[in-house]
């Protein structure tokens, strides 16, 4: 029943979208001297700004609110961008069904220069940058009483440039002399925007560090009063990420340590991580989050991150018909004692589409019903069987994200999106220690975190192999759905390897996405959108190699 409701909902929205597009052809100027088209559009824009920022009319609130702007089913603000990028990895796979909004991102085709994916990623990051620039352009921003606002705008802008430059050029070390992205500041004129060449990767990182350093000085160690805002803890966290990419491991370690100390955040415990969670941006493990409310534009629709990632009752969701899935190689790499195995579940059916309800396949869902909703194991099992009977018969479907407010009756997709969690700082500390020469300390730090918070039986010695491989694996699992895997793949110079899934599941990756790429393949980074190159005469395109027309495996 829920599946039928969702399909009807998707169809209805599609019709509305078609009618909205056609309305432009009927948008005539009134002849009676009442409202002009310009006045109507200005009123619409003012109403939209008010709706997107229900809690405050301030520019700062609007900057953070922009993270949650929705445009269509897969272009849903910053969380949507992160899902697009993670779909490019070998950690996340979809289903390939027509309702899978991210299937073309997994195939990379949506990122060709004349495709919507290329335009959306580029335009969103610069839209976020514009929000910060508008705040910094205000002459009063240098007033003493506005120093916190200025710090937040500087850090927000730096964060966006850091994400942006990683999309359009290979990682800093070994590539810092190559072209990165154009830099636009509050002082950049419209003429300069139209003739704005790409700066080197090194120049972009210098700009990022300048903004972050000034932001940190202005904040003076002060933590933000809300998880939706940037405080000193978050700036330290961003700096930890930046220095990790730059391979300045001592600074990465120190900033991660400072982020932990100032935030006073603690990781999810073994129990908290043993069931669906992550929907509450005010939880004790969160440093910074996009927090959704019922007033947000997408919350009462299916066009949000929560809709994509949460399979539970309460409202119709995309996760019911087009789930995001974990690569079976990664799933099987986890010990049975790793509580994160409960972040995914599998649905299997016989030849007549009848559910084969093995408890072991559904334990991720069952754990939530027992530990959070209070059902007995037997009751939970019955509830879960009813829930998944119409789900697609595919493996490793995501149930990492719980429903908003842990409610099965709240008719919203208003689960929050974590922009930074303290767990990442612990993993940065471990990696930075290992790579700065303290290999024993790094391994000990990694084991301490995993054993204490995720897998009590974990032993690094039994994993073997290269430390980078293990830290990559741990981060792919831990931050599934949060977009970090794409940046890690580039930072650690890892090949895209999807073919290994064949060893576990014959058709894990759907047709069109069955290919591997070497770490230095030009297709690993994004193409600049064609329309932006038409606007900016100095914007030089990245090399293009045609994508595969036939699956490699």
């Amino acid at each position: 029943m829920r599946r039928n409701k969702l399909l009807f909902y998707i169809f209805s929205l599609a019709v509305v979208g078609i009618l909205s597009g056609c309305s432009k052809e009927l948008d005539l100027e009134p002849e009676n001297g009442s409202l002009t088209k310009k006045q109507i559009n200005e009123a619409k824009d003012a109403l939209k700004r008010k709706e997107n920022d229900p809690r405050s009319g301030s520019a700062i609130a609007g900057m953070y609110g922009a993270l949650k702007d929705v445009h269509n089913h897969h272009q849903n603000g910053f969380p949507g961008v992160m899902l697009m990028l993670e779909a490019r990895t070998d950690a996340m796979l979809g289903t390939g069904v027509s309702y899978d909004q991210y299937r073309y991102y997994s195939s990379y085709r949506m990122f060709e220069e004349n495709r919507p994916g290329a335009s959306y990623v580029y335009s969103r990051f610069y839209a976020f940058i514009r929000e910060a620039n508008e705040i910094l352009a205000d002459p009063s921003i240098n007033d003493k009483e506005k120093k916190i606002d200025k710090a937040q705008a500087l850090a927000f802008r730096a964060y966006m440039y850091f994400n942006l430059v990683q999309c359009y050029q290979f990682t800093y070390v070994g590539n810092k002399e190559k072209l990165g992205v154009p830099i636009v500041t509050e002082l950049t004129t419209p003429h300069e925007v139209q003739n704005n060449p790409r700066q080197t990767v090194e120049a972009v990182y210098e700009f990022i560090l300048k903004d972050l350093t000034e932001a940190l000085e202005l904040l003076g160690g002060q933590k933000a009063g809300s998880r939706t805002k940037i405080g000193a803890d978050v700036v330290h966290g961003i700096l930890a990420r930046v220095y990790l990419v730059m391979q300045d491991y001592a600074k990465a370690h120190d900033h991660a340590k400072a982020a932990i100390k100032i935030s006073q955040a603690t990781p999810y415990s073994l129990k908290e991580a043993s069931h669906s969670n992550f929907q509450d941006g005010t939880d004790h493990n969160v440093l910074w989050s996009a927090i959704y409310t019922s007033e947000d534009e997408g919350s009462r629709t299916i066009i949000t991150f929560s809709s994509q990632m949460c399979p539970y009752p309460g409202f119709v969701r995309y996760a019911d018909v087009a789930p995001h899935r974990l690569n079976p190689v990664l799933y099987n790499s986890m010990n049975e004692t790793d509580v994160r195995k409960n972040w995914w579940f599998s649905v299997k059916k016989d030849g007549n589409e009848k559910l084969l309800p093995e408890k072991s396949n559904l334990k991720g869902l069952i754990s939530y019903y027992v530990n959070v909703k209070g059902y007995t194991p037997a009751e939970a099992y019955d509830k879960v069987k009813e829930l998944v009977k119409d789900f697609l018969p595919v493996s490793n479907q995501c149930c990492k994200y719980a429903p908003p407010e842990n409610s099965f009756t709240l008719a919203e997709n208003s689960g929050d999106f974590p922009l930074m969690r303290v767990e990442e700082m612990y993993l940065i500390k471990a990696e930075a220690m290992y790579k700065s020469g303290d290999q024993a300390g790094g391994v000990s730090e990694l084991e301490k975190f995993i054993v204490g918070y995720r897998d009590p039986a974990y032993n690094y010695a039994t994993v073997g192999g290269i430390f980078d491989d293990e830290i990559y694996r741990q981060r792919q699992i831990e931050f599934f759905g949060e977009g970090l895997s794409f940046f890690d793949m580039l930072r650690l110079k890892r090949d895209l390897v999807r073919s290994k899934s064949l060893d576990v599941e014959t058709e894990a990756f759907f047709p069109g996405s069955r290919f591997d790429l070497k770490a230095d393949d030009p297709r690993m980074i994004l193409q600049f959108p064609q329309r932006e190159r038409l606007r900016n005469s100095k914007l030089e395109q990245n090399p293009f190699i045609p994508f595969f027309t036939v699956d490699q495996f």
Side-chain angles (χ1 to χ4, degrees):
M1 182 62 72
R2 291 179 73 217
R3 186 173 189 273
N4 292 336
K5 286 182 179 179
L6 176 60
L7 301 186
F8 175 77
Y9 198 90
I10 295 171
F11 175 76
S12 300
L13 285 177
V15 171
V16 170
I18 292 170
L19 293 178
S20 299
C22 293
S23 69
K24 293 180 181 179
E25 303 298 325
L26 304 174
D27 206 358
L28 304 177
E29 295 281 0
E31 296 179 355
N32 58 4
S34 55
L35 290 176
T36 67
K37 182 169 71 173
K38 180 180 179 182
Q39 290 170 322
I40 293 172
N41 288 337
E42 288 174 347
K44 286 179 179 179
D45 289 342
L47 179 60
K48 182 177 180 181
R49 286 194 297 272
K50 180 176 178 62
E51 288 174 344
N52 283 342
D53 187 16
R55 293 156 292 180
S56 169
S58 74
I60 285 290
M63 179 182 75
Y64 291 117
L67 294 168
K68 302 180 287 183
D69 283 350
V70 297
H71 302 86
N72 63 36
H73 295 253
H74 48 100
Q75 297 178 345
N76 44 42
F78 189 84
V81 171
M82 292 297 100
L83 280 179
M84 290 177 187
L85 296 177
E86 190 151 354
R88 292 174 62 88
T89 71
D90 50 27
M92 177 180 285
L93 56 145
T95 57
V97 298
S98 58
Y99 309 111
D100 182 353
Q101 296 294 316
Y102 292 86
R103 64 191 184 278
Y104 295 120
Y105 299 103
S106 183
S107 71
Y108 282 39
R109 295 185 184 280
M110 190 60 83
F111 293 100
E112 294 174 357
E113 67 170 1
N114 59 346
R115 297 292 184 94
S119 295
Y120 190 73
V121 172
Y122 189 84
S123 65
R124 276 299 86 204
F125 279 128
Y126 277 107
F128 300 141
I129 290 165
R130 183 179 65 245
E131 294 282 345
N133 281 340
E134 288 177 355
I135 294 168
L136 296 168
D138 184 345
S140 68
I141 196 64
N142 291 312
D143 294 350
K144 185 176 180 180
E145 62 270 18
K146 287 194 173 183
K147 70 175 184 177
I148 302 302
D149 285 359
K150 182 178 181 179
Q152 292 180 73
L154 286 168
F156 189 89
R157 180 171 72 180
Y159 175 72
M160 294 307 168
Y161 272 116
F162 177 55
N163 290 312
L164 183 69
V165 72
Q166 291 180 91
C167 290
Y168 291 96
Q169 189 53 267
F170 289 104
T171 193
Y172 180 87
V173 175
N175 301 284
K176 62 184 182 179
E177 300 302 323
K178 293 181 180 178
L179 294 179
V181 294
I183 294 177
V184 180
T185 74
E186 71 276 19
L187 302 177
T188 306
T189 67
H191 174 74
E192 289 170 337
V193 168
Q194 295 174 6
N195 300 274
N196 196 6
R198 296 167 64 181
Q199 301 300 308
T200 65
V201 171
E202 184 175 34
V204 176
Y205 273 78
E206 288 174 353
F207 181 79
I208 291 166
L209 289 174
K210 178 178 176 295
D211 272 2
L212 291 173
T213 301
E214 185 177 357
L216 204 57
E217 291 172 354
L218 290 168
L219 288 167
Q222 184 176 335
K223 179 181 173 182
S226 167
R227 302 286 172 82
T228 63
K229 297 182 178 180
I230 296 173
D233 54 343
V234 176
V235 177
H236 278 295
I238 299 171
L239 281 164
R241 290 182 181 180
V242 173
Y243 282 120
L244 193 67
V245 171
M246 297 177 72
Q247 295 185 15
D248 190 334
Y249 297 120
K251 289 181 179 178
H253 174 274
D254 290 348
H255 283 292
K257 186 177 179 180
I260 296 169
K261 181 179 180 180
I262 295 172
S263 69
Q264 297 183 313
T266 55
Y268 274 156
S269 66
L270 282 165
K271 183 176 181 180
E272 290 171 313
S274 70
H275 55 73
S276 308
N277 224 325
F278 300 96
Q279 85 288 0
D280 186 353
T282 66
D283 269 354
H284 61 81
N285 66 328
V286 179
L287 277 68
W288 184 27
S289 178
I291 295 180
Y292 289 74
T293 70
S294 57
E295 287 83 14
D296 283 309
E297 189 176 1
S299 290
R300 295 186 182 274
T301 74
I302 58 172
I303 313 176
T304 64
F305 177 82
S306 186
S307 169
Q308 291 287 339
M309 305 303 287
C310 172
Y312 291 99
F315 196 44
V316 289
R317 315 187 201 275
Y318 264 114
D320 298 351
V321 296
H324 294 274
R325 305 160 57 207
L326 180 70
N327 188 324
V329 175
L330 280 172
Y331 184 83
N332 286 359
S333 74
M334 286 185 277
N335 294 331
E336 288 303 317
T337 50
D338 193 325
V339 297
R340 293 173 297 186
K341 276 207 160 182
N342 285 343
W343 297 356
W344 295 274
F345 67 97
S346 297
V347 174
K348 295 186 178 181
K349 297 181 179 180
D350 63 18
N352 297 315
E353 289 296 301
K354 183 178 180 181
L355 182 69
L356 300 173
E358 294 98 331
K359 285 186 179 180
S360 61
N361 293 328
L362 304 172
K363 65 179 184 177
L365 297 168
I366 293 171
S367 177
Y368 180 76
Y369 275 78
V370 171
N371 290 296
V372 178
K373 304 302 290 185
Y375 290 96
T376 67
E379 292 170 338
Y381 181 44
D382 289 338
K383 291 287 184 181
V384 168
K385 285 190 293 183
E386 180 64 23
L387 173 69
V388 304
K389 67 179 183 181
D390 292 325
F391 282 18
L392 290 174
V394 293
S395 64
N396 307 327
Q397 303 184 42
C398 180
C399 61
K400 175 183 175 181
Y401 301 89
E405 299 181 19
N406 285 313
S407 173
F408 285 172
T409 59
L410 184 65
E412 292 179 8
N413 280 315
S414 56
D416 302 333
F417 179 78
L419 295 161
M420 184 179 291
R421 292 195 284 119
V422 74
E423 288 91 343
E424 182 189 0
M425 298 301 111
Y426 281 88
L427 290 174
I428 288 177
K429 280 179 60 184
E431 183 177 352
M433 290 173 69
Y434 187 95
K435 292 181 176 178
S436 61
D438 184 5
Q439 295 185 357
V443 169
S444 176
E445 191 76 12
L446 178 62
E447 285 186 328
K448 183 179 177 181
F449 172 76
I450 301 297
V451 170
Y453 298 107
R454 296 298 182 260
D455 179 4
Y458 178 79
N459 184 343
Y460 177 81
T462 64
V463 177
I466 302 170
F467 184 85
D468 268 3
D469 290 340
E470 178 58 9
I471 203 73
Y472 185 41
R473 183 181 76 91
Q474 290 292 343
R475 288 175 63 96
Q476 283 182 306
I477 294 167
E478 179 69 29
F479 303 114
F480 182 85
E482 298 174 47
L484 299 184
S485 287
F486 172 71
F487 299 128
D488 285 340
M489 180 173 66
L490 295 173
R491 174 177 69 86
L492 296 169
K493 300 181 181 180
R494 285 298 176 266
D495 296 341
L496 177 78
V497 183
R498 293 173 171 174
S499 58
K500 284 188 177 180
S501 63
L502 288 174
D503 299 337
V504 183
E505 189 176 323
T506 306
E507 297 182 353
F509 284 90
F510 57 86
S513 65
R514 295 174 182 166
F515 56 84
D516 296 340
L517 293 175
K518 291 295 183 182
D520 60 354
D521 192 302
R523 287 169 287 202
M524 283 287 212
I525 56 176
L526 275 59
Q527 291 273 295
F528 290 93
Q530 184 180 58
R531 68 180 186 180
E532 187 60 28
R533 291 177 60 229
L534 294 174
R535 292 172 181 166
N536 180 359
S537 62
K538 298 292 181 64
L539 184 60
E540 185 177 330
Q541 183 61 284
N542 280 327
F544 174 72
I545 297 177
F547 290 94
F548 304 108
T549 56
V550 179
D551 287 326
Q552 287 189 328
F553 61 88

